[in-house]
Amino acid sequence: MSISSTDHPTAPDSDRKAAPGAPVRPGAYRHDLDGLRGVAIALVVAFHIWAGRVSGGVDVFLVLSGFFFTGMLVRRGEGGSVGVLATVRRTLRRLLPAMVVVLAAVVVTAVLLLPHTRWSGIASQTLASLFYYQNWYLALSWSDYLAADPSVSPLQHLWSMSVQGQMYLALLLGVALVAFVLRRVESWKPLAEHPFVRRAGRGGLLRLTLAVVFAAVAIASFRHATEGVSTQQGWNYYDTYARAWEPLAGGLLALVAPWVRLPGPTREALAWMGIAVIGCCGWLVNGALVFPGPAALIPVSAAVALILAGAGRDTAAQPVVNRLLATAPIVQLGSFAYALYLWHWPILIFYLGEQHQRRAGALDGLVIIVVSLVLAFATHHLVEEPLRERSKPVAARVRRRARTAPGRLLSGPVRLLADRRRLLTGIAVSIVGVLLLGSTVAWQWDNSAKAHAVGQLDPTKYPGAAALTDHALVPRAPMRPTTEEAPADIAYPTRDGCISDFDTRAVITCTYGDPNAHRTIAVVGNSHAEHWIPALQLLGEQYRFRVVVYLKMGCPLTVAEEPMYKGQQNPDCKDWSAEVIDRLGVERPDFVFTTVTRPSDNGGDETPQDYVDVWSALSDRNLQIIGIRDTPWLRRNGIRYRAIDCLAGGGDRINCGLDRSEALSPQNPAEPPASVFPNMHLIDPNDAVCEPQHCAVVEGNILVYHDEHHLTASYSRSLAPELGRELRPILDWW
């Protein structure tokens, strides 16, 4: 999210600033809001590095952005044309150079530190950030379980810049359209001579119209965000429409601020309340779980309070808090807050990745902050400042001076040097931007060409699970799928669109195996039930039974009142599960196939009580259940990782795996609760996935995992004989 100093809503020329702390007339440039930027970015950085929480600073920035940008647009609209193209050029000139520099640094660092399997993801997010759709990229990644990166992206924080860029464009077009319509109204004499229109004037009519429009859209956005918190918060957090009410709150404030007249004590109270709430917001609520819903009113209201507290007053007459925010050190921090925001997150993520830890300690956190400050200061002074004004060729400036003031042609060497510096900086940033765009597009193209599902493998060269179960000979052969092929070697339902994603409430069913058979196995649950479909497909074709899938991403069958996924409520899972259980009771498959364990946070695996409650619901409908123990998840120190990243980084099949005791408890945790259910039949195929002491990531020349915890379709197919041996005494069909 941009924290750059775009046009100030109360200053006639945002590039012409009074010295911080100097007395200024009411309505002039407010340094306290620059200081508020500095405080907010300090909180964002501190909470990211040491607390791993959302501070509310992003929400403060969105309010300030709406306040700044709307004020600038309204001033232009009051005087005539808003100047859409000029505003776009000027905004991009302020925001893109620093962004390009940081993105280029991230790309270079990724090449140096990350395995090549991560490069494509970095390239995708680089393009998404560069073209301001990173928030939608992340929202779709959350919705697509199999696209989610196992580690946090060094560019994840740029979602907020994309939201702000999209809101800038929406505000610009909205204000320009209203201003255009009002100019046409002025040309229609009967309406132009109406007493209300004449009394309001162009400026008053523009502000009033915009206030009505902004208020209506903000209310609709707030309602959308409120609903999204309880239905699809993972998407809601990144949704521009859900976030729109925050910058619109700032925009509304810019429209009404000139008429605000508050008594001194009220201003003092608002200022102290605002700064206290902003400082405590990160501890009051866990913003990642509830923003931008009603809880976001906390930081938004605090920002509004601080803006109102200092509105329409000289610096010397402002509340104490606003005067403190306007002091030189805090204003200076605010001046390069944008660059600091850009730099701190990738530095933090790369550091944690190299150290293989989830949090930075006190000392290393301070080092990260110092490095971020140094890079932000350099970026601000070497990149942002030289490009604040449009570059002009030095020769043109010389010719103009020769015409207008020939005697002063040689009196401005400093100005000419500044022109040259501005020109060279612009050329350098442009070259970096072109190289950045070209390299990321090339990465994407290359990855798309290499990623594809693997067909049927020769079992003599690729015995897969048979190497463990039948001690099959494993000849020397290259691993398949390769690290490039693996991301596309996925279970069939995802490939076929036969699994409900996070934003799909509907129950989607498809049939595998022998579609004309009279015997049916219903595979029910999430993607860990799904990754057995390639094996079941072969068994169904061989032994003539149907496999009907009822699958939803991130949703094991549940009867819980508030199902959770990644710490967030997933209400669609509850409704989807209820419908599936009812349909199973009506359609009555011969067996219901589902997972009965999951990894435990303390190591090993577990069977949650919710799973047992589901067995009861299925038993009440007299359904036979095949409960399969889940396969190991790749985790180190609680951090999931992808096998392909480890292998591409120089690891081997053993050290990229994990000890069996870390992934699986000594006893199948489903056995004790299942003993009271006569219709429950447990199977545990993990001896075909893990060796007695270790779970490797490659067996029989076949890669076991295509990500951090899902089987490749190739390895699943190799499991068909062992799965058939486990199912035969239960099904008695062969």
Side-chain angles (χ1 to χ4, degrees):
M1 186 238 29
S2 169
I3 339 164
S4 68
S5 182
T6 51
D7 286 295
H8 198 293
T10 59
D13 185 348
S14 66
D15 295 323
R16 197 182 305 137
K17 304 179 183 180
V24 291
R25 61 178 177 77
Y29 192 91
R30 288 184 55 185
H31 290 283
D32 61 315
L33 298 186
D34 282 340
L36 182 56
R37 281 197 189 99
V39 170
I41 188 59
L43 289 170
V44 168
V45 172
F47 272 81
H48 277 168
I49 291 175
W50 284 309
R53 291 172 65 98
V54 172
S55 68
V58 165
D59 305 87
V60 173
F61 297 149
L62 287 174
V63 174
L64 289 174
S65 298
F67 183 63
F68 295 165
F69 201 67
T70 301
M72 178 267 291
L73 295 176
V74 170
R75 291 198 311 276
R76 292 184 179 181
E78 289 173 337
S81 173
V82 172
V84 173
L85 294 180
T87 302
V88 170
R89 286 196 302 269
R90 190 169 187 267
T91 303
L92 291 178
R93 192 166 66 246
R94 287 179 176 274
L95 300 182
L96 274 184
M99 169 85 82
V100 167
V101 169
V102 173
L103 289 177
V106 169
V107 167
V108 171
T109 306
V111 172
L112 296 176
L113 299 182
L114 300 182
H116 67 83
T117 49
R118 294 285 305 279
W119 295 359
S120 176
I122 297 295
S124 296
Q125 295 203 32
T126 298
L127 293 174
S129 300
L130 198 59
F131 291 100
Y132 289 86
Y133 63 89
Q134 170 77 323
N135 61 314
W136 297 118
Y137 179 92
L138 292 173
L140 291 169
S141 297
W142 187 91
S143 296
D144 183 357
Y145 189 46
L146 300 178
D149 198 287
S151 58
V152 178
S153 165
L155 299 176
Q156 181 171 300
H157 67 313
L158 296 182
W159 69 266
S160 51
M161 278 213 59
S162 295
V163 170
Q164 183 172 350
Q166 294 160 28
M167 284 304 303
Y168 275 171
L169 184 60
L171 288 170
L172 174 59
L173 295 178
V175 174
L177 177 61
V178 171
F180 174 80
V181 171
L182 291 180
R183 286 198 304 273
R184 288 291 182 268
V185 167
E186 288 180 341
S187 64
W188 188 34
K189 190 173 181 181
L191 187 58
E193 293 181 352
H194 191 280
F196 174 78
V197 174
R198 296 179 62 182
R199 185 166 55 253
R202 173 184 292 178
L205 198 58
L206 176 63
R207 288 176 180 269
L208 178 61
T209 305
L210 289 175
V212 173
V213 173
F214 282 14
V217 177
I219 291 171
S221 169
F222 184 79
R223 291 182 60 183
H224 176 71
T226 301
E227 180 182 357
V229 171
S230 59
T231 57
Q232 46 183 4
Q233 173 60 9
W235 178 281
N236 195 52
Y237 191 81
Y238 299 116
D239 186 352
T240 303
Y241 183 42
R243 290 275 177 181
W245 71 270
E246 297 179 300
L248 286 173
L252 282 167
L253 201 58
L255 295 172
V256 303
W259 292 283
V260 173
R261 296 292 182 269
L262 298 175
T266 302
R267 292 175 179 271
E268 288 287 349
L270 285 174
W272 283 107
M273 179 196 70
I275 198 65
V277 170
I278 288 174
C280 298
C281 180
W283 301 117
L284 294 173
V285 291
N286 189 346
L289 301 183
V290 292
F291 289 172
L297 285 169
I298 296 173
V300 169
S301 299
V304 169
L306 279 165
I307 294 172
L308 287 176
R313 290 291 184 94
D314 289 331
T315 301
Q318 288 183 342
V320 173
V321 171
N322 295 78
R323 294 203 300 272
L324 290 174
L325 290 174
T327 55
I330 302 181
V331 171
Q332 179 66 16
L333 176 62
S335 68
F336 59 86
Y338 173 46
L340 179 58
Y341 184 84
L342 294 179
W343 279 113
H344 85 283
W345 182 261
I347 293 172
L348 171 64
I349 296 304
F350 281 124
Y351 175 81
L352 295 179
E354 287 297 295
Q355 298 299 314
H356 303 290
Q357 50 187 77
R358 304 184 71 176
R359 291 282 185 275
L363 183 59
D364 45 1
L366 284 175
V367 172
I368 292 170
I369 289 176
V370 170
V371 173
S372 301
L373 285 169
V374 170
L375 290 174
F377 183 84
T379 303
H380 177 66
H381 288 286
L382 298 180
V383 178
E384 290 185 287
E385 284 193 335
L387 296 175
R388 283 191 180 278
E389 297 178 0
R390 182 182 303 166
S391 300
K392 296 181 179 180
V394 175
R397 290 293 296 271
V398 172
R399 287 195 298 270
R400 185 177 64 81
R401 289 187 180 186
R403 290 195 303 269
T404 58
R408 298 177 57 193
L409 182 60
L410 301 178
S411 65
V414 174
R415 182 74 64 85
L416 294 178
L417 286 174
D419 284 345
R420 183 181 298 275
R421 177 189 174 201
R422 188 177 300 121
L423 177 62
L424 293 177
T425 302
I427 292 174
V429 171
S430 299
I431 292 173
V432 170
V434 170
L435 293 175
L436 176 68
L437 182 61
S439 63
T440 51
V441 170
W443 281 355
Q444 287 294 84
W445 183 274
D446 183 63
N447 181 74
S448 299
K450 292 180 179 178
H452 59 82
V454 176
Q456 191 68 40
L457 297 171
D458 182 353
T460 60
K461 291 184 178 180
Y462 296 93
L468 296 174
T469 58
D470 302 331
H471 306 290
L473 179 67
V474 182
R476 295 179 63 87
M479 180 190 76
R480 299 293 301 277
T482 65
T483 55
E484 290 80 12
E485 294 169 335
D489 198 46
I490 58 179
Y492 308 152
T494 294
R495 176 198 67 188
D496 300 336
C498 293
I499 181 171
S500 301
D501 62 24
F502 291 98
D503 300 314
T504 302
R505 160 59 184 83
V507 175
I508 300 173
T509 62
C510 293
T511 301
Y512 296 92
D514 182 352
N516 299 317
H518 300 294
R519 298 175 296 195
T520 302
I521 291 179
V523 177
V524 181
N526 61 10
S527 54
H528 281 259
E530 177 203 20
H531 68 197
W532 290 100
I533 292 300
L536 289 169
Q537 166 80 9
L538 295 176
L539 293 174
E541 291 174 343
Q542 181 178 1
Y543 298 111
R544 298 184 60 79
F545 63 86
R546 297 192 309 156
V547 180
V548 181
V549 298
Y550 303 79
L551 302 167
K552 182 171 174 60
M553 293 179 181
C555 179
L557 207 60
T558 182
V559 292
E561 285 299 319
E562 294 185 356
M564 305 291 287
Y565 173 69
K566 293 184 178 181
Q568 299 174 4
Q569 292 184 5
N570 191 9
D572 277 355
C573 183
K574 175 187 174 183
D575 298 336
W576 177 88
S577 296
E579 181 177 340
V580 168
I581 292 173
D582 288 341
R583 286 182 60 170
L584 292 173
V586 174
E587 296 170 7
R588 308 206 58 77
D590 295 277
F591 290 90
V592 175
F593 181 103
T594 190
T595 55
V596 291
T597 64
R598 70 180 183 192
S600 170
D601 292 337
N602 300 319
D605 53 348
E606 64 181 2
T607 296
Q609 181 59 43
D610 183 38
Y611 285 26
V612 180
D613 295 338
V614 169
W615 305 346
S616 296
L618 295 174
S619 299
D620 291 342
R621 291 161 175 79
N622 296 317
L623 294 169
Q624 296 293 312
I625 308 168
I626 299 173
I628 188 167
R629 190 179 189 181
D630 202 2
T631 49
W633 294 32
L634 299 178
R635 296 187 297 179
R636 287 177 181 160
N637 299 323
I639 303 173
R640 287 182 281 177
Y641 65 94
R642 294 193 304 184
I644 58 174
D645 294 339
C646 181
L647 293 170
D652 58 36
R653 59 180 291 272
I654 297 298
N655 61 35
C656 286
L658 70 166
D659 290 339
R660 182 167 178 153
S661 60
E662 294 179 18
L664 300 171
S665 301
Q667 179 190 22
N668 185 344
E671 289 179 0
S675 63
V676 300
F677 291 91
N679 62 321
M680 172 63 73
H681 311 276
L682 296 181
I683 60 174
D684 181 0
N686 278 300
D687 285 342
V689 178
C690 295
E691 300 167 10
Q693 303 299 325
H694 197 78
C695 299
V697 297
V698 180
E699 291 292 354
N701 293 330
I702 299 180
L703 180 64
V704 177
Y705 300 96
H706 72 78
D707 58 7
E708 72 270 27
H709 51 73
H710 294 101
L711 301 177
T712 61
S714 297
Y715 198 79
S716 180
R717 286 192 292 268
S718 79
L719 285 162
E722 176 62 21
L723 185 61
R725 283 192 287 266
E726 296 234 13
L727 289 175
R728 182 171 54 191
I730 300 171
L731 303 177
D732 196 24
W733 292 346
W734 60 86

